Amino acid sequence: MSELVERVDEQDRVLGVVERSEAIERHWLHRVATTVCRDPEGRILVHRRQEGVSRFPGQYNWLIGGAAEVGETYEEAAARELTEELGVRAPVRFVLKFLCDGLISPYWLGLHEAVVTEVLAPDPAEIAWHGWVTEGELREAFSQWTFVGDGVDAFRRYPARPVPGQSGRQCSSK
């Protein structure tokens, strides 16, 4: 079954509904929602993708996410992807959105963060390994492991923030 997404323009306005494979093939903009997962101590979840996945096999990532479905907000997509990929439910908070050139196709990337307190149950079809690292350890890992390039780009844009819920600071949602 094909995955349908909303084709969008440079201002993130919906132009129509297309198959994601066609959006990628034709380099049409669409929406992707990701989440930085932190534990209550502020560490960041890193995972390695399975070798058999179609996109970025065996590469590491610090973001959990995927394409937003038709009619789905970035926040709804981010929360759904957490459940699908990690088997957890957690409130997601909007951090930023940017137009990502993308290694396989351009897209709008909505980046969120969530504090995950539940035990993870990663989808074995997607995730081969996972672990919690400090921000410093993540920076070091970028130079030692092969990370998904789009995730490295997102990290450069990701502002240093306190752990949501511990500082009283709330991220706004768009």
Side-chain angles (χ1 to χ4, degrees), residues 3-112:
E3 182 180 11
L4 296 178
V5 297
E6 292 172 333
R7 180 181 175 196
V8 297
D9 65 13
E10 291 79 12
Q11 285 75 47
D12 198 15
R13 295 179 298 217
V14 176
L15 300 173
V17 174
V18 299
E19 291 187 15
R20 185 173 187 204
S21 59
E22 182 180 17
I24 290 170
E25 180 182 313
R26 295 179 180 255
H27 294 270
W28 288 341
L29 294 174
H30 56 288
R31 295 173 175 152
V32 171
T34 62
T35 302
V36 177
C37 296
R38 290 185 177 267
D39 68 7
E41 289 78 43
R43 295 178 300 173
I44 297 170
L45 181 71
V46 174
H47 68 280
R48 184 171 48 81
R49 298 175 54 77
Q50 283 288 5
E51 292 294 336
V53 296
S54 62
R55 296 178 187 100
F56 313 112
Q59 293 185 20
Y60 290 84
N61 205 343
W62 70 295
L63 300 172
I64 296 292
E69 295 176 352
V70 175
E72 196 173 42
T73 67
Y74 286 100
E75 289 79 11
E76 291 166 342
R80 176 182 48 76
E81 289 287 342
L82 281 180
T83 302
E84 289 177 4
E85 294 189 22
L86 296 177
V88 298
R89 294 188 189 281
V92 297
R93 293 169 182 82
F94 178 82
V95 176
L96 62 92
K97 178 178 82 169
F98 69 96
L99 188 55
C100 182
D101 287 334
L103 294 173
I104 60 173
S105 175
Y107 55 91
W108 278 100
L109 178 76
L111 192 144
H112 305 78

Side-chain angles (χ1 to χ4, degrees), residues 44-49 55-63 103 129 131 133-156:
I44 297 170
L45 181 71
V46 174
H47 68 280
R48 184 171 48 81
R49 298 175 54 77
R55 296 178 187 100
F56 313 112
Q59 293 185 20
Y60 290 84
N61 205 343
W62 70 295
L63 300 172
L103 294 173
W129 170 90
V133 299
T134 65
E135 210 162 304
E137 290 167 335
L138 178 58
R139 288 179 192 280
E140 189 175 312
F142 281 135
S143 66
Q144 297 175 358
W145 303 341
T146 303
F147 274 79
V148 174
D150 297 357
V152 176
D153 183 28
F155 186 78
R156 289 186 192 109

